[in-house]
């Protein structure tokens, strides 16, 4: 739904921000509970470069973009659903109306909507090590999700590029699919003697030299080139991104004015403050209970944007269904038994 500033927007039962597997699953289950749902998505999925997704029952090997398309079509088939493409720049509670304001825009079309509750399902943004050719091989020869893609790399000579402190555990996980693994810390990831010993006992080689780039051609990745000129033959591998939860659009004030030229949203001439009482962990992820309730009443979160972070598509979809049940029960209100059983 989009409207001008002069139109009183419809109040939806639920606004879901993000239409990945978690958001789509939540939307589907909520419309089947006869809840009016506004599903807003910017169509910028994190896994857009991935050719095939795995582990999703009846859809193993499907393109993640095709999976999103199928899910969106299913949701759109319900009259209770309103699905729009928009980049959300403000979600804020309005105490005067006891609703949430949702504002966004897409190619000059403004989104102005209200909802009784909001589900955040926006996922994460990936930041990769600064290797020029990494993006060229990402999604084909190089992946970030071990559980999703390690099967297809089993037994191959692999590289694991990791600059974070979870390098040992992640390397050991990858090593369960191959006995030829080299871990590249790029001189960044911290490794102590105990960590080196654990990797050595598993037959994992550690190279702490600086990585200059990946090598390959149209047929695929062929190696890892180090700063000293050495090229180690590798046919593929995994990379550990740093993930960011970009949630600066979750704000305290629903009284805003938006500049048509700059696109910046302000409250009383200033940028609205962060949403009061919203708990985030040390990684910036939204802290929720087991069914997606955040620390702010009426605000829920599901999928990668919640701890522990990135998860398989089928896991995200399952969490979306559980959160949908919790939202519906909370909207019903007055229930004597809130065990949150998903039945």
């Amino acid at each position: 739904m989009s409207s001008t500033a002069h139109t009183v927007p419809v109040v939806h039962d639920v606004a879901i921000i993000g239409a990945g597997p978690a958001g789509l699953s939540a939307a589907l289950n909520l419309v089947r509970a006869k809840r009016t749902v506004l599903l807003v998505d910017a169509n910028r999925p994190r896994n857009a470069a991935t050719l095939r997704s795995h582990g999703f029952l009846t859809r193993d090997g499907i393109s993640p973009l095709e999976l999103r398309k199928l899910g969106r079509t299913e949701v759109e088939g319900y009259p209770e659903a309103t699905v729009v493409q928009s980049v959300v720049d403000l979600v804020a509670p309005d105490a005067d109306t006891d609703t949430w304001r949702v504002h966004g825009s897409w190619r000059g079309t403004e989104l102005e909507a209200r909802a009784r509750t909001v589900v955040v399902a926006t996922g994460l943004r990936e930041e990769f090590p600064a290797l020029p050719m990494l993006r060229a091989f990402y999604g084909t020869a190089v992946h970030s999700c071990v559980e999703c893609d390690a099967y297809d790399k089993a037994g191959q000579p692999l590289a694991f590029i990791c600059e974070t402190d979870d390098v040992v555990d992640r390397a050991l996980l990858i090593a369960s699919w191959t006995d030829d693994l080299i871990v590249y810390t790029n001189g960044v990831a911290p490794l102590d003697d105990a960590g080196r010993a654990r990797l050595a006992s598993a037959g994992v080689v550690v190279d702490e030299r600086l990585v200059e780039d990946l090598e390959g051609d149209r047929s695929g990745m062929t190696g890892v080139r180090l700063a000293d000129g050495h090229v180690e033959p590798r046919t593929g591998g995994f990379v550990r991104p740093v993930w960011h939860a970009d949630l600066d659009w979750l704000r305290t004030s629903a009284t805003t004015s938006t500049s048509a030229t700059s696109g910046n949203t302000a409250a009383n001439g200033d940028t609205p403050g962060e949403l009061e009482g919203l708990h985030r962990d040390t990684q910036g992820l939204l802290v929720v209970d087991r069914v997606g309730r955040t620390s702010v009443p009426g605000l829920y979160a599901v999928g990668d944007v919640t701890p522990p972070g990135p998860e398989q598509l089928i896991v995200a979809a399952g969490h979306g269904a559980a959160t949908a049940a919790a939202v519906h029960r909370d909207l019903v209100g007055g229930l004597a038994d809130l065990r949150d059983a998903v039945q």
Side-chain angles (χ1 to χ4, degrees), residues 194-260:
R196 290 187 179 89
R198 291 172 63 199
L199 292 174
S201 66
V204 177
V205 176
V206 176
D207 195 325
E208 299 185 69
R209 290 177 289 177
L210 295 180
V211 178
E212 186 171 273
D213 206 356
L214 304 181
E215 290 203 345
D217 51 33
R218 291 185 178 181
S219 65
M221 177 178 158
T222 58
V224 176
R225 185 172 74 249
L226 303 178
D228 61 11
H230 175 74
V231 177
E232 183 68 30
R234 300 283 98 181
T235 60
F238 291 86
V239 61
R240 202 299 198 181
V242 175
W243 293 287
H244 301 277
D246 297 327
L247 298 169
D248 56 349
W249 41 270
L250 277 174
R251 295 295 179 179
T252 57
S253 173
T255 305
T256 65
S257 59
T258 303
S259 168

Side-chain angles (χ1 to χ4, degrees), residues 135-151:
R135 283 287 186 182
F137 298 115
Y138 187 66
T140 54
V142 180
H143 306 272
S144 61
C145 178
V146 180
E147 288 84 355
C148 306
D149 298 295
Y151 180 88

Side-chain angles (χ1 to χ4, degrees), residues 98-211:
D98 197 26
T99 63
W100 291 80
R101 181 187 175 194
V102 178
H103 182 274
S105 63
W106 176 255
R107 295 182 178 178
T109 300
E110 186 178 9
L111 170 69
E112 182 68 60
R114 300 273 174 168
R116 297 169 62 192
T117 58
V118 172
V119 177
V120 178
T122 47
L124 301 170
R125 173 174 56 87
E126 293 174 322
E127 180 184 356
F128 291 98
L131 303 177
M133 290 297 291
L134 178 56
R135 283 287 186 182
F137 298 115
Y138 187 66
T140 54
V142 180
H143 306 272
S144 61
C145 178
V146 180
E147 288 84 355
C148 306
D149 298 295
Y151 180 88
D152 301 296
K153 298 285 188 277
Q156 298 181 23
L158 301 180
F160 175 43
I161 302 169
C162 181
E163 300 179 349
T164 54
D165 59 8
D166 56 355
V167 57
V168 174
D169 283 351
R170 287 182 177 271
L172 291 174
L173 184 62
I174 297 169
S176 66
W177 277 274
T178 182
D179 57 4
D180 187 357
L181 176 66
I182 300 178
V183 174
Y184 294 95
T185 67
N186 208 18
V188 177
L191 262 178
D192 57 19
D193 290 341
R196 290 187 179 89
R198 291 172 63 199
L199 292 174
S201 66
V204 177
V205 176
V206 176
D207 195 325
E208 299 185 69
R209 290 177 289 177
L210 295 180
V211 178

Side-chain angles (χ1 to χ4, degrees), residues 11-17 30 36 38 91-94 98-102 114-121 249-251 275-278 286-289 291-302 323-324 326-332:
V11 177
H12 301 269
D13 288 326
V14 190
I16 300 175
I17 316 301
L30 280 163
T36 54
L38 173 67
V91 170
D94 185 352
D98 197 26
T99 63
W100 291 80
R101 181 187 175 194
V102 178
R114 300 273 174 168
R116 297 169 62 192
T117 58
V118 172
V119 177
V120 178
W249 41 270
L250 277 174
R251 295 295 179 179
L275 190 57
E276 184 177 358
L278 184 62
L286 292 175
V287 176
V288 295
D289 68 9
V291 288
R293 297 185 185 93
T294 72
S295 54
V296 176
L299 182 67
Y300 305 76
V302 67
T323 297
V327 173
H328 177 62
R329 286 166 177 260
D330 291 348
L331 286 172
V332 170

